[in-house]
Each structure stands twice: as C-alpha cells, then as structure tokens.
Amino acid sequence: RPQPPLRDIREGQRAPEVLRRDTRARRSLAAADFLAAWVALAAAVEVGGGSLRPLAIALPPTVVVFCKLARLYDRDDHVIRKTTLDQAPALLQVTTLYSLIAWFAGDLVVTGGLGRPAVAAMWATLLVTSLLFRFVARRLAARSLTPERVLVLGGRDACERLRDRIATAHSLRAEIVGRVSLDRGDRQEPAPLGSLAQLDWIVRAHEIERVIIAPTETTADMLDTIRVVKALGVKVSVLPRLFEVVGSSLEFDDIDGITLLGLRRYGLTRTSWYVKRSFDVLATSAGLLLLAPFLAVIALAIRLTSPGPVLFRQPRVGRGGARFDMLKFRTMYEGADEDKAHLVQMSEGRGGLFKLENDPRVTPIGRLLRRSSLDELPQLINVLRGEMSLVGPRPLVVEEDEKIAGWHHRRREGTPGCTGVWQVLGPTRVSLDDMVKLDYLYRANWSLWLDVKILLRTAGHMFSARGL
C-alpha cells in the first residue's frame, strides 16, 4: 500500500502534535497556579487588612517557579491518567513554602505586614484554589484536545486489556490505535498493524503519540526497542508484569548501578491499623452528626412511598470470613430478594458479580438513592460497630464469596469497606477476578492518603450521580 507523507522528525525530537499537547497542558496548569496565588494573596489582604505594595506583583510568580522545581508540570508528559489528587502532597509543600515566604516578606508586599490569621487564610485558600483550578484546567485541556493516540507493542491479550481499561476509565483521554507484535509468529486477531521493523512508518502514518511496551520478559533486544521508540519522538510507557502482583508497594534500592525492588509487607501493621481505625471513627462520627437531618428526610421519604422497613439488612462476608448484616436504605419493594433468581440471567455484572442497572424491583425513590449512592449511607453505622471501614474490599454476598478461590481469599484479611478502589470504576466495569486483584493491591499499597483519595473520588461520583 502507498505510504502517506511522513512528518520530518530528527532523532529524539518530539512529534509536533505531542509538543503541542504538552505545551498547552503545561501552560494551562501554570496559569491555574498563578491565578490561585493571586486569589490567596487577596484573601490574606482581606483578612489582615492593609494594602498591596508594588513589590507584591513579584510574589505570585514564585508559585509557578516552586511548582516547576517540584516537577508538577512535568509529570503529565509521562503519564496517561493526569490527576490532580495525586499531586496534592506536593502542592501542600508548595503552598506552605509560598505562605512562609509571604510571611517573612511581611511589610515588603503588604502594608503593615501579614499576621498569623492572614497567613493561615493565604495557606488554606492557596491549597484549595490550586487543587480546584488545576482540576478545571485539566478538564478544559482534555476537552479541547483530541484523545491521545496510543500504540501497544506486545501481544493481543495485553492490548485488549489496556483497550478495555482505557475505554472504561473516567477522565482519561486516550485511545488504543492498534498493536505491533514483539513475536514474529503472532497472527492473533486483532492482527498487528505491522512488524517491529516497520515501527518507524507505523508511528508516523498513524500519528501515534504514545507507545506502551508490554514485554513478556526484559532482554537486550527490548532495551534496543525502547531506544528506537524514544528516538521516534513519541512518549513511552512500559507495562511491567511484576507490578500487576506487587503494585506500587516497593522501594527502589540502588547498589552501585544494580537496581533492586524492595517489597513492603502485605497488610497493615498494628500502628497502621490503629491509624486507619481512628480515622474511620472520627470521620464517621462527624459525618453522622452532620448528615443526621438529611438521613431523617430520606428515611421519611422511604416510609411514605412504599410499605416496609426503612433499612435493608443483607448478610455479607466480612473480615476473616465472618458474617454480618450490612445496612442500606431500602431501595426495593419488600420481598424483592425472593425474585432475584429470575433476574440472574439478565445480570450486567462481569465475572460472576450480580449487577442490574435497570432492576425492575427498585422503587422510584430507590432509583434516585441508587443513582446518587445515598442508599449506602447507613453503612456508616457498620463502620462505628467495627464491622466495616470507610475504605476497603467490598463485602460480598455469600454466593459471590463462594466463587473466590486460592490466594484470592486474602481479600478477607482486611476489614471490608463502604467504598474502595474498584467501586469508583463503576459497578459493571470490573469483573470478579479484577475486583479481587484490585482489593489485593489496595491492601499491599495502603496509606492514609490513599484512603483520603478514594473517599474524595467517591464523593465526586456521588455528586455526579454516576453511582457506585
């Protein structure tokens, strides 16, 4: 077939569309940070009084400098999922440094200087606005740009798994164009776009912006392949099989040029468990106190619109295989569980999970509660009882738990959660096998910040009415 005209790229130079995408993303983030710095400075002046001096104009640009030094503009170049929450710890450091500099500068930027209340207002405002403005900037940039075109170097299974995950992931703008096999005898469908020898032409003809390398093993030939791809002016990602087992729960250890990966222990230490439990109790108690009037309104609406109890109690399998009654607001007519057997064949869940989006047993009020996930709120009582955690492996019903075998049973070692890693992906997007793997990796990679991120993403899903 005739070859289309190829763009002229010198070795190692970024392709024009890649450069354009990266430059636009960096500029939008820098503009967001600059605007957030001015809003924070204005908040400090409003709280502390005084007025801005001419030198104050030099203060907001320092935020952009600090973010650049913290590599907050560079990470998006290397990853497909560009999230603001993952950068929150670094933004916290930048916010603190900016506030300290403004405090020390004092009378040089604001008449009368900045007192502690003003600096505290600046710190809080900058942290919130930088997270918010960066989120908005990323969303606007994603909508204005075409999806990132991705080529997979690897087998059919790896390509299809990546295609499926990218297609169902929220807030991710990318598409798998095709694959190039690393095995000369590969004839599996979908067929490769060409051979490894044609990689240069394939990348340019299909306007590829990123190549994901999915090797079965690391060899000298694979290192040469990585060098070739990087020389084509596209971004490069690697899908290592090891991380499917250990996740990010490792520490890099360098021994004079030899890199070792130190794996963290699986599960929580005793002190980590106390930290997690303390966070659960404090956050749940505050949540129940604030939501009490709202919960009462929901209970009244359920009582007035359909006969039966307000709460639905469903036996679930908890920590160590122990059974407990998980609480939910009742969303179905009374006795709906007896009709489940007739609907199993209509299930939209994958890999053995029963999920039905338009379940005929759901009441009108129940449909609204499910769409916003408000039916899950009574599980806060399960958290206070110690039967559940705010974040953790989802407790399965007995028949689903019986389908789990082998090492997958390790998911029972953790306290089940109201939400978790796989719930924010959507209930019908994850198979039972993938769910178990995600639960295992959550336990292997646990941190308090990970729990906070999952809760924030869960709140986002609830407010957007996508449901869990």
Side-chain angles (χ1 to χ4, degrees):
R1 55 185 176 182
Q3 296 187 1
L6 303 181
R7 57 191 182 224
D8 182 21
I9 306 174
R10 284 185 296 230
E11 185 170 327
Q13 180 182 351
R14 284 285 173 93
E17 49 269 27
V18 176
L19 282 172
R20 188 162 49 249
R21 182 189 297 276
D22 294 346
T23 300
R24 186 166 184 173
R26 282 194 296 268
R27 288 177 178 174
S28 62
L29 290 178
D33 294 334
F34 183 74
L35 179 60
W38 270 112
V39 172
L41 185 57
V45 172
E46 181 69 23
V47 172
S51 59
L52 294 176
R53 293 187 181 275
L55 191 59
I57 197 173
L59 193 59
T62 60
V63 165
V64 179
V65 175
F66 294 153
C67 287
K68 176 61 179 177
L69 294 175
R71 304 181 65 84
L72 289 172
Y73 302 128
D74 301 329
R75 184 178 184 273
D76 284 10
D77 292 359
H78 312 304
V79 298
I80 300 178
R81 182 187 290 277
K82 302 165 176 59
T83 62
T84 301
L85 275 179
D86 289 338
Q87 296 183 327
L91 287 173
L92 178 62
Q93 296 176 2
V94 170
T95 297
T96 303
L97 183 58
Y98 178 79
S99 302
L100 287 174
I101 289 177
W103 192 14
F104 292 149
D107 194 54
L108 295 176
V109 293
V110 178
T111 57
L114 293 172
R116 292 182 179 178
V119 173
M122 172 183 284
W123 182 88
T125 303
L126 180 57
L127 181 60
V128 173
T129 54
S130 61
L131 288 170
L132 177 61
F133 291 173
R134 275 177 161 258
F135 172 79
V136 173
R138 282 193 169 98
R139 282 298 178 93
L140 292 177
R143 290 180 179 179
S144 62
L145 294 172
T146 57
E148 186 175 17
R149 296 175 65 80
V150 180
L151 175 72
V152 176
L153 262 63
R156 180 196 62 180
D157 292 342
C159 180
E160 292 305 299
R161 189 152 43 93
L162 284 167
R163 192 195 303 274
D164 183 59
R165 291 294 176 86
I166 288 176
T168 57
H170 296 302
S171 66
L172 197 155
R173 296 277 291 173
E175 62 177 349
I176 301 292
V177 176
R179 70 183 181 96
V180 170
S181 178
L182 298 173
D183 182 3
R184 294 181 180 178
D186 188 350
R187 296 293 184 270
Q188 291 182 313
E189 294 293 336
L193 297 177
S195 66
L196 199 57
Q198 300 171 301
L199 184 60
D200 186 7
W201 180 81
I202 293 171
V203 166
R204 302 187 190 202
H206 293 274
E207 298 183 338
I208 301 300
E209 299 171 72
R210 180 184 298 274
V211 171
I212 299 179
I213 303 175
T216 54
E217 59 181 346
T218 302
T219 64
D221 291 340
M222 181 52 56
L223 297 179
D224 287 337
T225 301
I226 293 175
R227 294 188 189 101
V228 169
V229 174
K230 292 178 70 174
L232 296 177
V234 297
K235 301 175 183 178
V236 182
S237 299
V238 178
L239 177 66
R241 299 299 299 272
L242 173 65
F243 288 86
E244 295 181 20
V245 179
V246 301
S248 60
S249 60
L250 47 83
E251 300 290 347
F252 286 90
D253 187 11
D254 179 65
I255 305 178
D256 293 337
I258 298 177
T259 302
L260 299 179
L261 302 179
L263 303 184
R264 302 173 195 160
R265 60 171 291 176
Y266 177 78
L268 278 63
T269 62
R270 184 179 297 274
T271 53
S272 296
W273 184 88
Y274 282 125
V275 169
K276 182 176 175 64
R277 180 59 184 161
S278 299
F279 175 76
D280 283 344
V281 172
L282 292 174
T284 301
S285 299
L288 284 173
L289 186 63
L290 293 173
L291 294 173
F294 185 56
L295 296 176
V297 171
I298 294 177
L300 182 61
I302 295 172
R303 176 69 75 177
L304 294 177
T305 55
S306 63
V310 170
L311 295 179
F312 172 67
R313 302 171 184 268
Q314 187 177 44
R316 297 279 181 132
V317 179
R319 185 175 185 178
R323 308 287 175 85
F324 72 97
D325 287 337
M326 190 178 76
L327 302 177
K328 286 186 178 185
F329 280 125
R330 182 174 56 82
T331 59
M332 298 182 180
Y333 56 76
E334 194 172 11
D337 239 16
E338 300 172 2
D339 297 333
K340 179 179 177 180
H342 305 295
L343 301 172
V344 170
Q345 59 184 6
M346 300 170 58
S347 174
E348 299 168 3
R350 300 171 58 185
L353 291 175
F354 179 81
K355 295 290 181 182
L356 200 57
E357 186 174 353
N358 296 313
D359 197 320
R361 301 172 297 168
V362 179
T363 64
I365 290 294
R367 201 169 302 281
L368 176 62
L369 294 177
R370 285 190 166 200
R371 189 159 51 243
S372 57
S373 296
L374 294 176
D375 62 317
E376 310 277 354
L377 289 178
Q379 289 163 37
L380 296 177
I381 298 174
N382 290 118
V383 175
L384 285 183
R385 290 175 177 174
E387 298 165 335
M388 296 181 68
S389 176
L390 286 175
V391 181
R394 187 64 172 165
L396 299 178
V397 296
V398 177
E399 55 265 30
E400 290 175 349
D401 184 78
E402 290 174 347
K403 298 177 182 178
I404 295 177
W407 67 270
H408 287 175
H409 280 299
R410 296 207 68 175
R411 73 183 302 277
R412 293 179 180 172
E413 296 178 11
T415 305
C418 300
T419 186
V421 180
W422 68 270
Q423 287 95 316
V424 296
L425 299 178
T428 62
R429 294 187 175 97
V430 181
S431 66
L432 181 62
D433 187 59
D434 284 341
M435 179 206 71
V436 172
K437 291 178 181 177
L438 289 172
D439 287 339
Y440 178 86
L441 291 177
Y442 164 77
R443 288 271 294 165
N445 303 319
W446 181 86
S447 70
L448 187 60
W449 173 238
L450 177 59
D451 277 7
V452 172
K453 284 198 298 183
I454 292 174
L455 289 172
L456 290 174
R457 285 172 177 160
T458 300
H461 281 251
M462 293 177 68
F463 288 130
S464 63
R466 283 182 289 204
L468 292 179

